Amino acid sequence: MSTGGDLIVYLLGANVPVRNIVSNRISVGYREEIDVMPCIVVDIDSVDSEDSLTGTPSLDIVSVSIDCIHTSYADAVTLADAVLAVLGGASGTFETKTYSISANRSAASLTPSPDGGHVVIYPIVSNLYMEA
């Protein structure tokens, strides 16, 4: 997991409202179809580095998708609201690196599940700016 992924998982896992909904079901990269819901899946979409005047990387710009997954739309919205409250405008220091985060809602989707039901995926798209 990248430092950006570590930071997102740490922030979400340390937040009581998010933890009350998903417990410790926060994963990076993928979710098994049989996993218990609700859960959160963090996907690192891209990492770009900005160089300083000396030509060395000084800032990583990490694009992240955070999928808030639940069995009903209303519950997925509640989870997405909790995640957005944690990440939107967050800033600080993580493992000696300064960071700031912007986060926005994306469109929710309904996905069939193997048991004949469905899951609602409500993504939060985020940009993480972190010292390289």
Side-chain angles (χ1 to χ4, degrees):
M1 186 179 348
S2 70
T3 301
D6 291 339
L7 171 60
I8 299 294
V9 169
Y10 170 77
L11 291 173
L12 294 176
N15 182 268
V16 172
V18 171
R19 203 172 55 242
N20 284 344
I21 298 170
V22 298
S23 184
N24 62 347
R25 294 181 302 273
I26 303 171
S27 60
V28 176
Y30 70 96
R31 174 186 81 84
E32 296 292 336
E33 286 188 20
I34 60 171
D35 283 353
V36 175
M37 288 182 277
C39 63
I40 296 172
V41 177
V42 177
D43 286 317
I44 306 298
D45 298 324
S46 67
V47 179
D48 295 318
S49 294
E50 292 292 323
D51 294 338
S52 66
L53 294 176
T54 63
T56 58
S58 62
L59 178 70
D60 285 337
I61 303 168
V62 184
S63 295
V64 183
S65 298
I66 301 99
D67 290 338
C68 303
I69 305 170
H70 216 304
T71 55
S72 78
Y73 180 78
D75 291 333
V77 168
T78 300
L79 178 55
D81 285 345
V83 168
L84 192 57
V86 173
L87 299 180
S91 62
T93 303
F94 180 73
E95 296 180 353
T96 72
K97 296 181 179 186
T98 302
Y99 70 88
S100 65
I101 301 173
S102 65
N104 297 291
R105 295 175 187 272
S106 193
S109 65
L110 186 67
T111 305
S113 62
D115 65 2
H118 64 274
V119 295
V120 178
I121 301 173
Y122 205 130
I124 302 296
V125 292
S126 178
N127 285 318
L128 164 63
Y129 304 90
M130 181 177 267
E131 284 182 321

